Amino acid sequence: MNSPFRALFGRRSTQVERYLGVLIVIYSAVVGFQNPRFLSLETVFDIVHEGAPTMILAIGVLLVLVSGGIDVSFPAVAICSAYVSIKLMWVFGLDALWFMAPVSIAIGLLLGLVNALLIHFLKLPTLIVTLGTMSVYRGFMAVTLGTSQYPVATMPKSLAEFGLANIVSVDGEGSSYGLSVFFPIVVALFAVTWFILYHTMLGRAVFAMGSDEEAASRVGVNLLRTRLFVYGYTGALAGMAGLMYFAAMQNVDPVALQGFELMVIAAVVIGGAKLTGGEGTILGTFLGVLLFQLFQSTLVQLGLASTWASFFFGSVLLFSLAMIYYRQRKADQRNLVFRIG
Amino acid sequence: MENILKWLKANGYESVLAGVNILVLLLLGLILGDSFYSISNMQSMSTQVAEFGLLALAMGLAMLTGGIDLSIVSSAVLAGIVGAEFLTGNVFDLESTDPTLVMGAAVVAALVTGLLCGLLNGVLIAKTSIPPILATLGTSIFFTGVGTVITGGASLPVRVKAFFQLGVVTVARVPVVFIIMVVALILAAIALKRTRSGRRIYLYGENSIALRFTGVRHERLIILLYAVIGLICGIAALIMVSRTASARVGYGEAYLLQAILVVVLAGFNPFGGRGKVLGLVLALLMLQTLSSAFTIMRYGPYMKVFIWGAMLLAVMFLNRLMNRNKRSTRGDETNDAGQTVVTVEGSSA
Amino acid sequence: MADSILTAENLSISFGGVNALVDVNVAIARGEIRCLVGENGSGKSTFVKIASGVYHPSRGTVQVGGKLLSPGDPRAAIDAGIQVVFQDLALFDQLSVAENIAFSVLLNSKNAYVGRKRMRQLAADVLEIMEVELPLDDPVSTLSMANKQLVAIARALCMDAQLIFMDEPTAALTKKEVNRLLEVVLGLRDRGISIVFISHKLDEVFRIADTITIFRDGRKVGDFEAAELTQAKLTYYMTGREVEYPAYKREPREADEVPLLEVRGLADRLHYRDVSFSVRPGDVLGLTGLLGAGRTEVALTLFGLNQAVRGEILLDGKPARIASPQQAVASGIALVSEDRKTEGLFMEQSVGHNISSTRLDTLLNKLRFLDLRAERELASRMVQAMGVNNKDIDILVGKLSGGNAQKVVIGKWIATEPRLLILDSPTVGIDVGSKAEIYESIQRLARAGMGIILISDEPEEIAANCNRVIVMYEGAIVATVSQAERETPDFVERLARMISEPTSQLAAPIQEGVPQA
């Protein structure tokens, strides 16, 4: 089979990817039927703009899941790094993205490394460890820096402009819209992550560790170093995503994104990443987040209040999970594989 | 005397926990004096601990099986919302209906909702083999979604005055809600120690495959367990609604972290198979006293969040030092048998 | 010993009070094929684990190429050119064949970039040396067991291995696959690589070994030139006169017409077909064959964990449906499964709780609560009956040695007073002392009228304990041995041949249950 998909990605599509693709097409068709304005470039651009921070966070989550762990601290890391970088910049009396971005990424990296060290040495469920660090990061920041919000009037100008900047602008009837600068950033990060995961030893080690930790260590994978990379990279991505989130919202809110971690993890899991590690694709992650974002921003166009978003997303999530794991259960029964749980 | 020593030895961790508790209580007495050791503070503490204690119990039960329930708060909130629907006048005309009937309906509705939430978790985990962490992640989003759809995101005000009483009423100066929690904890302790299902829950948490090979209906056990967890969340929901006189999506989100903290602090093994209700009681006592002390000392909510997170990490670190949560992989085998079994415990808990 | 690649001196180690290895000296020359033989529990796998740095010996040293190896350090062993192909292989299922083979090399190279070309080249080169062809880009999960085995060997080679340990590499392979593997092993020797080959299939051992080292009871019996040994002599050295097991003989009973269990034309979806046999009270039926021949799968069906799609199971002559372990237990069937650690025991629970786990339904008082006193009594009784060395029922099972833990598993099933006891490889990984005690228990239970199915791939074990034997191959029964035949003098050798060369059985006359092609 030489499908266009294979030509583009160099592999066969996974079942989950096909399923999600079909789901998204059907959903878009339904919404488009109800509201023809939906099927427009503007909608696409909107979704790119709104969904970009989530996409970047999701890349990190994918990496962690592939490595066999789970991380719930990344929204806390995102908010903390971005907020601290802004506060720090004001100390120097600056207002510049070139300061905020590297600092925020560096702080994210640092917090991620802390996660990695704790996970490696405590040898406990990563969920519980990162639940602890999540609270420590958020709590510590709030206690030391306060929780003042900076709406668009008082937030750094450079950040507000970053949120509105477009690389392409289109003048429509009455309003103009454009493709956000977030787009190339997300594309670049997808490409870099893809390259690392599939074309470097580090990436292969991440898969190996997630697939069978004991075997990986037996053939000489340095588990500590691999974990430092996984959680550090995730933290750095979160640092970037935090700034982009503030920019997109046009509001610096240090208590935002609480509870968001579960949504992003859910999106990545829908995309086919397994909690048992070693499995997950970047395309699947992209589709999972896209689906989530569609529910978030387009239910209104179906004539439903936005309060239905969680209901729909939760239902799709449960259905997908049941499908994925029931299939595995049947295969296990056939092959006489017995699993814990 | 000998018996006491024997008990202390058998319950080493609980003994240490009890010692630390006594130390904390003495210290708080020294620092805060009467503002801590007053009837009113004791009452407010025991009222506050009730709903949270129930949620922690629910989490603890899930963790005994090596699972986790991320949906405890959202199912409690959903149960509260369904119950509150009856108390807002949306279902019954409050003017013309007997308040007892209204309240009875609300209680039943909340409990049934909780039970159904738990049942859904149990069926998903037992019958489709979704790992508990993912199943409850999914249901927590789903329950929140249902709650949001019902309320439209707004807060439901309770209009039946008598219902507030549940949160306030005391028997011999002890709040009724506290008594409810204590009864639930005692029942759980007895069930875990002295019933077949209780014992099997420990065995399941220790090694679910071996339990299957022992000829136990493990799927029924898990469904039953999560149903009970849901029911406990339903009870917690009633206390929540009566205390706050309202129900809304997003209430009590911080409880999830605290519940996990308490359960880990209580000496439960997150990989399953170990944990005692006694430990849970001591951990709850500690968390509640500290929480009240912080309130008296005017610590903000974020200070608490920070302290709880730090405590969670510290307890795990200490457990690591004491080598308690290490699965013993002893080298007593002289032959590596080919394994057909994939153990996923390290990443799924 | 100038040209020896590995020299081990005075190695000793003990687990849970049992001496697993006592004062063992082994020297392996460059470019030789050394076979380690011995019964289950004789210490050969323990030796491998010490030599490869997995275990830290309590005494003794290992030198590689004249340099002392730091004990308990797998990295050091790998750096010194020692590779182990463990039975579980430790491959990454989701990664491709090429990636698996080249993984370790690329990991150690300074170049962080994984060039697909270079990786495939590395893998292709090694496979060429081995003279085998494998699909480089397919995920390992799609390969057969035999090909996975080859991937694991290729990976070891890729790491510039000077000495490769192979732990029972042929256990799951068919004759044809074994031949291919042995060709590869011989080819490696010609390139100057030393191979330590662990197997208890003696015909393979004789085909490839330069030197044979025999282990018994944690000690080395000696090194022998392959040419100077015969199978009979080897078997003699392995078992030793002092551990000659008393052979079981079933006495005729009344009511022999209706067997306890009868299986007619049984087949499951994937693993076996057309299986027929019967078990009478007092029978110890040996079920043997290569790993993966369908033995375990038949046992799982009888225990309700693997649904049959065809055929009949009769208990006491009446058709029975066993759809779940609950029903099996209710019908008086017990299964001591193959994988003791994951399927049999609750390692971090007490011995008492382990034993009572099968009997909770009967350990209730009037209020339907657990009767803790009755539970303790039951546990104590079973610990006594099985001869577990530590009589404390509150001790955690994980603290017992493998042999004593196995007695606990058997005890938990004896507690249910089963009529049919299935033991799947009950002596794998346990010491020789416990092994003898377990044989004693098996024979005692059989004499008391229990029906027993003993699954094993050790011909000696089958010969010592079974009065009738069934040999399976690729999911079908290829030979059925009656009690009379079983008592012929050279039975052990013949049985070993039946297991390792099942295809030759197909041509043999008057065999029951000849498989369909």
Side-chain angles (χ1 to χ4, degrees):
Chain A
M1 262 211 339
N2 237 341
S3 64
F5 183 94
R6 189 155 202 182
L8 189 61
F9 289 91
R11 63 176 173 87
R12 252 179 255 167
S13 58
T14 67
Q15 221 153 18
V16 174
E17 288 164 358
R18 287 194 294 273
Y19 158 76
L20 280 181
V22 169
L23 203 66
I24 287 170
V25 168
I26 292 175
Y27 180 79
S28 304
V30 170
V31 179
F33 187 72
Q34 290 279 321
N35 183 347
R37 276 200 52 204
F38 170 75
L39 299 175
S40 68
L41 205 56
E42 189 174 359
T43 313
V44 176
F45 287 1
D46 269 356
I47 287 176
V48 167
H49 186 238
E50 276 176 43
T54 317
M55 278 293 179
I56 293 175
L57 291 174
I59 296 174
V61 171
L62 170 70
L63 209 62
V64 173
L65 289 181
V66 166
S67 81
I70 190 167
D71 180 358
V72 292
S73 71
F74 61 89
V77 171
I79 296 295
C80 288
S81 352
Y83 196 67
V84 171
S85 72
I86 292 169
K87 286 273 187 173
L88 200 63
M89 181 177 71
W90 283 341
V91 171
F92 291 101
L94 292 168
D95 183 348
L97 201 58
W98 62 257
F99 182 91
M100 276 182 287
V103 170
S104 182
I105 291 172
I107 295 172
L109 173 73
L110 200 72
L111 297 180
L113 294 179
V114 171
N115 278 341
L117 291 174
L118 287 172
I119 286 165
H120 187 80
F121 290 109
L122 289 183
K123 297 213 169 28
L124 274 175
T126 50
L127 171 74
I128 296 179
V129 174
T130 53
L131 209 53
T133 56
M134 168 185 98
S135 312
V136 168
Y137 297 161
R138 275 202 194 266
F140 188 74
M141 184 192 72
V143 169
T144 51
L145 295 180
T147 52
S148 323
Q149 281 198 34
Y150 302 98
V152 66
T154 51
M155 75 188 279
K157 269 210 175 43
S158 55
L159 191 61
E161 283 163 11
F162 174 55
L164 296 177
N166 291 329
I167 48 167
V168 181
S169 288
V170 181
D171 288 319
E173 318 108 45
S175 68
S176 73
Y177 55 91
L179 181 59
S180 164
V181 286
F182 291 177
F183 181 71
I185 296 177
V186 173
V187 170
L189 287 176
F190 266 118
V192 168
T193 310
W194 173 81
F195 181 80
I196 293 176
L197 273 184
Y198 291 95
H199 289 280
T200 70
M201 227 31 233
L202 200 55
R204 303 282 70 197
V206 173
F207 273 94
M209 182 170 84
S211 168
D212 185 342
E213 195 176 305
E214 162 123 29
S217 122
R218 255 197 243 161
V219 299
V221 171
N222 184 332
L223 297 181
L224 175 61
R225 208 175 60 188
T226 312
R227 284 210 175 87
L228 285 172
F229 163 69
V230 167
Y231 292 92
Y233 189 73
T234 302
L237 287 175
M240 186 67 215
L243 275 184
M244 286 165 66
Y245 176 75
F246 286 157
M249 291 289 123
Q250 296 285 296
N251 182 17
V252 174
D253 176 4
V255 295
L257 292 183
Q258 300 211 36
F260 194 60
E261 57 277 358
L262 297 185
M263 289 294 177
V264 181
I265 293 170
V268 178
V269 167
I270 279 195
K274 285 257 171 77
L275 268 188
T276 39
E279 272 178 87
T281 63
I282 292 180
L283 180 64
T285 300
F286 168 78
L287 293 173
V289 176
L290 181 60
L291 189 72
F292 168 73
Q293 205 59 45
L294 279 173
F295 284 143
Q296 286 290 311
S297 48
T298 62
L299 282 172
V300 185
Q301 307 195 22
L302 269 180
L304 284 169
S306 63
T307 47
W308 284 83
S310 285
F311 176 80
F312 272 99
F313 188 61
S315 309
V316 172
L317 176 61
L318 286 179
F319 180 75
S320 314
L321 285 174
M323 206 184 62
I324 294 169
Y325 282 94
Y326 191 71
R327 196 200 305 270
Q328 172 152 46
R329 173 189 169 97
K330 283 289 156 202
D332 285 349
Q333 274 172 7
R334 261 198 315 280
N335 300 320
L336 302 178
V337 175
F338 302 99
R339 284 172 207 268
I340 290 276
Chain B
M1 190 62 208
E2 200 178 308
N3 280 342
I4 297 176
L5 279 177
K6 209 172 154 192
W7 187 90
L8 286 178
K9 206 176 157 201
N11 296 276
Y13 185 80
E14 285 74 14
S15 311
V16 172
L17 204 56
V20 174
N21 255 310
I22 294 169
L23 221 64
V24 167
L25 288 170
L26 285 177
L27 221 68
L28 290 178
L30 279 178
I31 300 170
L32 301 171
D34 287 347
S35 60
F36 185 80
Y37 284 102
S38 65
I39 299 253
S40 69
N41 189 46
M42 289 296 142
Q43 278 186 345
S44 90
M45 270 172 55
S46 45
T47 309
Q48 281 167 26
V49 81
E51 67 193 58
F52 171 59
L54 288 169
L55 291 176
L57 174 63
M59 179 63 83
L61 289 176
M63 224 177 252
L64 278 183
T65 62
I68 195 166
D69 191 343
L70 297 178
S71 73
I72 47 169
V73 176
S74 52
S75 58
V77 165
L78 178 60
I81 287 170
V82 173
E85 275 288 317
F86 289 84
L87 301 166
T88 53
N90 291 351
V91 181
F92 296 118
D93 179 11
L94 294 183
E95 301 290 313
S96 60
T97 322
D98 179 6
T100 319
L101 177 70
V102 174
M103 288 197 296
V107 168
V108 171
L111 293 182
V112 167
T113 308
L115 188 71
L116 288 176
C117 288
L119 218 50
L120 178 62
N121 280 328
V123 169
L124 284 172
I125 293 166
K127 293 290 179 188
T128 67
S129 301
I130 307 177
I133 184 174
L134 284 185
T136 57
L137 166 65
T139 54
S140 88
I141 294 174
F142 179 72
F143 296 154
T144 303
V146 175
T148 319
V149 169
I150 294 176
T151 60
S155 176
L156 291 179
V158 172
R159 293 190 214 285
V160 180
K161 293 271 180 311
F163 197 73
F164 305 169
Q165 289 301 314
L166 177 63
V168 188
V169 159
T170 60
V171 175
R173 290 189 166 178
V174 181
V176 166
V177 290
F178 183 72
I179 296 173
I180 293 176
M181 179 198 75
V182 170
V183 170
L185 284 169
I186 291 174
L187 287 178
I190 293 173
L192 287 175
K193 178 110 182 116
R194 294 300 299 269
T195 68
R196 279 174 288 177
S197 298
R199 172 67 62 76
R200 284 173 182 152
I201 284 168
Y202 283 103
L203 294 178
Y204 183 96
E206 173 67 35
N207 183 350
S208 62
I209 299 172
L211 191 68
R212 250 188 108 178
F213 274 82
T214 301
V216 167
R217 290 190 182 84
H218 61 294
E219 291 179 354
R220 213 173 62 174
L221 183 75
I222 287 304
I223 294 173
L224 178 79
L225 177 75
Y226 278 90
V228 169
I229 289 173
L231 192 63
I232 294 172
C233 292
I235 301 171
L238 290 169
I239 298 177
M240 276 181 197
V241 173
S242 74
R243 263 183 6 103
T244 60
S246 66
R248 66 177 169 83
V249 168
Y251 176 81
E253 272 172 351
Y255 279 151
L256 187 61
L257 166 72
Q258 289 181 32
I260 293 175
L261 166 61
V262 164
V263 172
V264 172
L265 181 64
F268 283 55
N269 183 347
F271 295 120
R274 196 183 55 231
K276 292 189 187 131
V277 174
L278 176 64
L280 202 59
V281 170
L282 291 169
L284 277 171
L285 175 65
M286 179 125 95
L287 201 75
Q288 188 57 47
T289 46
L290 285 177
S291 174
S292 299
F294 295 156
T295 309
I296 296 173
M297 294 191 273
R298 296 180 195 291
Y299 283 3
Y302 288 102
M303 191 60 173
K304 286 190 190 173
V305 167
F306 170 68
I307 292 174
W308 298 151
M311 253 174 86
L312 181 60
L313 292 176
V315 170
M316 286 192 294
F317 182 67
L318 289 177
N319 270 337
R320 181 85 205 130
L321 282 187
M322 291 160 71
N323 243 342
R324 280 167 47 83
N325 281 333
K326 201 180 74 184
R327 276 285 157 100
S328 76
T329 41
R330 292 161 36 83
D332 53 5
E333 299 286 29
T334 46
N335 197 336
D336 250 17
Q339 286 218 331
T340 51
V341 180
V342 186
T343 49
V344 297
E345 53 187 32
S347 50
S348 70
Chain C
M1 287 304 194
D3 65 337
S4 84
I5 168 87
L6 180 137
T7 315
E9 282 172 347
N10 303 322
L11 291 183
S12 297
I13 193 171
S14 62
F15 301 112
V18 175
N19 290 327
L21 220 54
V22 184
D23 265 334
V24 167
N25 294 289
V26 175
I28 291 156
R30 282 183 201 281
E32 82 161 324
I33 297 179
R34 173 70 60 97
C35 284
L36 303 187
V37 296
E39 296 188 283
N40 285 337
S42 58
K44 38 190 202 316
S45 293
T46 309
F47 170 73
V48 175
K49 285 190 175 162
I50 292 176
S52 58
V54 176
Y55 287 167
H56 195 306
S58 51
R59 224 153 55 79
T61 57
V62 178
Q63 290 180 39
V64 179
K67 271 197 296 214
L68 210 58
L69 198 64
S70 86
D73 179 2
R75 285 296 317 171
I78 292 172
D79 291 342
I82 294 181
Q83 288 283 327
V84 185
V85 178
F86 286 103
Q87 246 187 323
D88 65 358
L89 301 184
L91 297 173
F92 305 112
D93 276 353
Q94 283 98 351
L95 302 190
S96 73
V97 169
E99 278 180 318
N100 266 288
I101 293 175
F103 198 93
S104 311
V105 177
L106 293 175
L107 203 64
N108 288 342
S109 76
K110 291 285 155 275
N111 196 349
Y113 174 72
V114 182
R116 211 159 268 277
K117 238 190 209 153
R118 193 163 97 83
M119 188 177 73
R120 294 181 90 249
Q121 193 56 51
L122 273 170
D125 289 350
V126 176
L127 291 178
E128 204 185 301
I129 291 175
M130 291 169 59
E131 293 171 14
V132 293
E133 270 180 44
L134 292 173
L136 286 180
D137 298 318
D138 286 10
V140 161
S141 56
T142 59
L143 299 186
S144 72
M145 194 61 204
N147 285 341
K148 283 184 187 173
Q149 189 75 248
L150 293 175
V151 171
I153 294 172
R155 179 171 68 184
L157 270 187
C158 211
M159 281 297 279
D160 280 330
Q162 300 300 306
L163 170 63
I164 304 179
F165 286 101
M166 298 185 188
D167 194 355
E168 307 249 1
T170 60
L173 306 192
T174 64
K175 195 76 192 170
K176 216 168 111 192
E177 292 168 333
V178 169
N179 286 339
R180 178 146 153 253
L181 184 78
L182 295 186
E183 289 300 316
V184 169
V185 168
L186 289 170
L188 293 180
R189 176 188 57 188
D190 296 343
R191 292 176 169 266
I193 294 167
S194 311
I195 310 276
V196 176
F197 195 89
I198 298 176
S199 174
H200 54 234
K201 296 187 198 156
L202 300 184
D203 61 318
E204 287 166 11
V205 168
F206 278 106
R207 267 179 58 197
I208 60 165
D210 296 316
T211 320
I212 298 173
T213 297
I214 304 176
F215 279 82
R216 187 172 74 216
D217 206 5
R219 291 164 204 273
K220 191 175 92 168
V221 176
D223 299 323
F224 302 89
E225 292 299 317
E228 71 184 52
L229 274 181
T230 59
Q231 283 225 7
K233 229 170 161 182
L234 187 91
T235 310
Y236 169 77
Y237 282 130
M238 267 168 65
T239 54
R241 197 171 321 188
E242 65 276 22
V243 284
E244 186 71 50
Y245 303 111
Y248 176 67
K249 191 162 187 269
R250 180 180 183 273
E251 303 302 332
R253 309 170 149 261
E254 324 100 57
D256 260 358
E257 309 79 52
V258 181
L260 201 64
L261 167 84
E262 190 177 355
V263 166
R264 287 188 197 149
L266 206 63
D268 76 346
R269 202 177 295 277
L270 287 175
H271 308 95
Y272 65 85
R273 62 199 178 276
D274 203 17
V275 168
S276 305
F277 61 84
S278 67
V279 181
R280 299 164 301 174
D283 265 336
V284 181
L285 176 72
L287 193 49
T288 185
L290 294 168
L291 200 74
R295 317 167 310 191
T296 298
E297 289 77 2
V298 171
L300 288 175
T301 298
L302 294 176
F303 196 63
L305 283 168
N306 176 22
Q307 287 316 300
V309 291
R310 252 196 317 280
E312 270 188 304
I313 299 172
L314 293 95
L315 294 170
D316 296 321
K318 292 187 227 37
R321 215 178 87 84
I322 306 172
S324 66
Q326 295 83 293
Q327 285 178 8
V329 174
S331 314
I333 300 174
L335 171 68
V336 173
S337 56
E338 192 177 8
D339 189 342
R340 177 169 65 242
K341 269 187 184 168
T342 49
E343 295 168 356
L345 289 170
F346 307 97
M347 298 296 267
E348 304 276 299
Q349 301 283 337
S350 70
V351 169
H353 286 194
N354 269 278
I355 290 177
S356 67
S357 60
T358 51
R359 294 303 278 164
L360 294 178
D361 286 332
T362 62
L363 292 169
L364 300 177
N365 63 19
K366 287 192 197 87
L367 295 168
R368 312 284 294 157
F369 284 122
L370 286 177
D371 186 340
L372 299 183
R373 184 174 298 160
E375 181 187 11
R376 298 187 68 85
E377 276 166 17
L378 173 79
S380 298
R381 214 171 61 233
M382 283 304 133
V383 165
Q384 292 290 347
M386 291 310 302
V388 179
N389 64 348
N390 193 327
K391 303 287 187 271
D392 180 3
I393 57 168
D394 292 321
I395 196 177
L396 301 185
V397 162
K399 298 229 187 294
L400 297 179
S401 72
N404 284 294
Q406 182 70 301
K407 290 181 200 163
V408 172
V409 182
I410 299 177
K412 97 176 188 187
W413 283 115
I414 301 304
T416 66
E417 294 164 17
R419 305 176 56 216
L420 178 70
L421 175 65
I422 307 169
L423 297 144
D424 193 349
S425 314
T427 61
V428 169
I430 72 177
D431 59 282
V432 174
S434 301
K435 189 168 165 176
E437 287 173 280
I438 287 172
Y439 288 175
E440 235 176 78
S441 299
I442 291 173
Q443 302 191 9
R444 190 184 63 236
L445 292 166
R447 270 192 291 276
M450 199 180 284
I452 291 177
I453 298 177
L454 175 63
I455 300 176
S456 172
D457 49 13
E458 264 191 36
E460 295 80 12
E461 180 161 298
I462 295 280
N465 294 293
C466 304
N467 60 322
R468 293 197 298 167
V469 184
I470 283 174
V471 183
M472 289 186 76
Y473 171 67
E474 289 197 340
I477 293 178
V478 288
T480 305
V481 181
S482 67
Q483 176 149 352
E485 202 179 339
R486 133 92 189 74
E487 280 162 9
T488 52
D490 61 339
F491 175 68
V492 175
E493 287 75 28
R494 286 201 301 119
L495 182 63
R497 255 198 317 281
M498 281 186 225
I499 296 172
S500 59
E501 288 171 61
T503 38
S504 68
Q505 295 297 314
L506 298 180
I510 349 166
Q511 297 295 343
E512 289 174 43
V514 173
Q516 297 133 2

